[in-house]
Amino acid sequence: MPKIVDHDQRRREIVEVTWRFIARDGIDKLNLRDLAAAAGFANGGLKPYFPTKDSILTATFGYVAAATNARIEAGVRGREGLSAIEAFAHEVLPLDELRRDEARVAVHFWHMALGDQLLAQVNAQTMQTWRDMLDGWLVQLLGEGHPDARAARDGMINFMMGAQAGSVLDEEANSVQSLLEQLEHQLIALRRLAETIG
Amino acid sequence: MPKIVDHDQRRREIVEVTWRFIARDGIDKLNLRDLAAAAGFANGGLKPYFPTKDSILTATFGYVAAATNARIEAGVRGREGLSAIEAFAHEVLPLDELRRDEARVAVHFWHMALGDQLLAQVNAQTMQTWRDMLDGWLVQLLGEGHPDARAARDGMINFMMGAQAGSVLDEEANSVQSLLEQLEHQLIALRRLAETIG
């Protein structure tokens, strides 16, 4: 079915152009005309692939989330417990230019998701995926049913989300070195939690 | 000088209407016409107070930051060390509807600040104020020059920023009870840091 493959390929190309555009220029300036030009389509040429700007945005945020999650999956392979949590955080924290671009897109995304039910669902799905993964590693670290596991999990996710915003809004306090030390502080807290068991 | 007082009072009224508008309807729908109507001005009547939409936004974000910081100042009075850090976090974390509204405004603000140098400066100022306050309390807790104080400080700020985003985007995982438990997890990490000194 070459035609369908081609269709999916084109959609992916448009989404890749879109997320780079958002990372560089933000979301307010995003319009279908510029996007079509940047992706090498005639004006109006995106319609067969994405009927509305909103449908491009939903696909784009889904794409960035999927790309992050694919990296996480590769990063944590063969690891468990605290080592897996550390590898996971390394894929989310803005430790390089790609991840900083993802962080910029995330900040714009949160803004959109506050007023858009569909985008909010894309975000909720990613958060649920992250919670499920962390739950597994925290059981490996702390055993089943540790009373502090939930607070540790949701605090770690909030720390990472804040680091995404902080690293692109407040770069001085969130250099790569600083982010790694902040992560180490969080991991030490988890290690201490594990040491106090039984 | 009753006229100047009146001018300042009017500016404050406009800013108060603006931040409630942003918390409820977001920032994309914000326009001077609706804002004037909501604040009880004729169309075009905001011009003497704010010449542009951007000048209203800058003032509004400054106002929200100042309101939060005034609450922090009152909350930490007479406290020091870990107790002050806890009181500080209580004023930032979205533990009630006012703070959740502030968190919504913050998320829209970050989005704007990524593309607006002036708004980015308003944000940087608030972050610097918070870092300075935390520095003082961490010295009380850990003594001068503790090697982990910086990572603890910036990690705490990122945790709080992430909790602001999380509580309005991902409410289920960030109930008031959950936020308090997440904060307790962060505070325990600081207490352990203090216990390992000397």
Side-chain angles (χ1 to χ4, degrees):
Chain A
M1 298 184 294
K3 265 205 142 167
I4 287 176
V5 171
D6 192 51
H7 188 84
D8 288 351
Q9 171 69 15
R10 287 294 175 93
R11 278 174 59 94
R12 196 160 53 241
E13 283 165 17
I14 294 164
V15 157
E16 277 168 10
V17 165
T18 306
W19 98 258
R20 292 291 182 180
F21 187 103
I22 295 172
R24 197 183 60 236
D25 294 327
I27 213 159
D28 292 339
K29 291 170 196 141
L30 190 76
N31 64 75
L32 294 183
R33 180 187 297 263
D34 289 351
L35 220 49
F41 286 76
N43 189 21
L46 303 184
K47 285 262 180 231
Y49 304 97
F50 294 102
T52 62
K53 183 173 154 183
D54 222 44
S55 64
I56 296 188
L57 287 177
T58 309
T60 300
F61 292 127
Y63 169 85
V64 173
T68 309
N69 287 339
R71 280 206 320 273
I72 292 170
E73 219 172 285
V76 304
R77 199 165 292 143
R79 294 172 188 268
E80 59 174 41
L82 203 61
S83 166
I85 295 172
E86 182 175 18
F88 164 66
H90 275 231
E91 298 307 328
V92 177
L93 290 176
L95 300 175
D96 62 17
E97 208 39 61
L98 171 72
R99 288 160 183 75
R100 255 193 302 280
D101 274 350
E102 288 181 353
R104 280 187 198 95
V105 173
V107 170
H108 291 304
F109 177 33
W110 300 338
H111 148 78
M112 297 288 292
L114 279 181
D116 185 319
Q117 201 54 43
L118 212 60
L119 293 182
Q121 276 170 20
V122 174
N123 185 64
Q125 268 167 18
T126 301
M127 293 300 108
Q128 191 54 51
T129 305
W130 289 7
R131 283 197 289 272
D132 290 345
M133 292 191 299
L134 280 167
D135 277 341
W137 300 320
L138 285 168
V139 166
Q140 291 166 347
L141 181 69
L142 305 171
E144 289 281 355
H146 190 288
D148 299 340
R150 215 186 126 138
R153 175 195 73 183
D154 295 328
M156 175 62 80
I157 288 176
N158 282 336
F159 158 68
M160 292 193 305
M161 287 179 76
Q164 285 193 304
S167 72
V168 293
L169 286 164
D170 194 20
E171 290 184 47
E172 207 190 326
N174 291 289
S175 64
V176 169
Q177 183 59 29
S178 169
L179 290 173
L180 289 173
E181 287 170 11
Q182 292 176 45
L183 174 61
E184 184 59 21
H185 176 73
Q186 298 292 328
L187 294 174
I188 287 173
L190 292 180
R191 203 176 296 134
R192 293 249 167 81
L193 213 53
E195 286 164 4
T196 58
I197 297 173
Chain B
M1 299 184 292
K3 265 205 140 167
I4 288 175
V5 171
D6 194 51
H7 188 84
D8 287 351
Q9 170 70 15
R10 286 297 174 92
R11 277 175 60 94
R12 199 161 52 243
E13 283 166 16
I14 294 165
V15 158
E16 277 169 9
V17 166
T18 306
W19 95 259
R20 291 292 183 179
F21 187 102
I22 294 172
R24 197 184 59 236
D25 294 328
I27 214 159
D28 292 337
K29 290 170 195 140
L30 190 76
N31 64 76
L32 294 182
R33 181 188 295 264
D34 289 350
L35 220 49
F41 287 75
N43 189 23
L46 303 184
K47 286 261 179 231
Y49 304 98
F50 294 102
T52 61
K53 183 173 154 183
D54 223 42
S55 64
I56 297 189
L57 287 178
T58 309
T60 300
F61 291 127
Y63 169 86
V64 173
T68 308
N69 287 339
R71 279 206 320 272
I72 291 170
E73 221 173 283
V76 304
R77 198 166 293 144
R79 295 171 187 268
E80 58 173 42
L82 203 62
S83 167
I85 295 173
E86 182 175 19
F88 164 66
H90 276 232
E91 297 307 328
V92 178
L93 290 176
L95 300 175
D96 61 17
E97 208 39 60
L98 172 71
R99 288 161 184 75
R100 254 191 304 279
D101 274 349
E102 288 180 352
R104 279 186 199 96
V105 174
V107 170
H108 291 304
F109 178 32
W110 301 337
H111 148 77
M112 297 286 294
L114 279 181
D116 185 318
Q117 200 54 42
L118 211 61
L119 294 182
Q121 277 169 22
V122 174
N123 183 64
Q125 267 166 21
T126 302
M127 292 301 107
Q128 191 54 51
T129 306
W130 289 7
R131 282 197 291 269
D132 291 344
M133 292 190 299
L134 280 167
D135 277 341
W137 300 321
L138 285 168
V139 165
Q140 292 167 347
L141 181 69
L142 305 172
E144 289 281 355
H146 190 290
D148 298 339
R150 216 187 123 137
R153 175 196 74 183
D154 296 327
M156 175 63 81
I157 288 177
N158 281 336
F159 159 67
M160 291 192 306
M161 288 179 76
Q164 285 193 304
S167 73
V168 293
L169 285 164
D170 193 21
E171 291 183 47
E172 207 190 326
N174 290 289
S175 63
V176 170
Q177 183 60 29
S178 169
L179 290 173
L180 289 173
E181 287 171 10
Q182 292 175 44
L183 173 61
E184 183 60 22
H185 176 72
Q186 299 290 328
L187 294 174
I188 287 173
L190 292 179
R191 203 175 297 135
R192 294 249 166 83
L193 214 53
E195 285 165 5
T196 57
I197 298 172

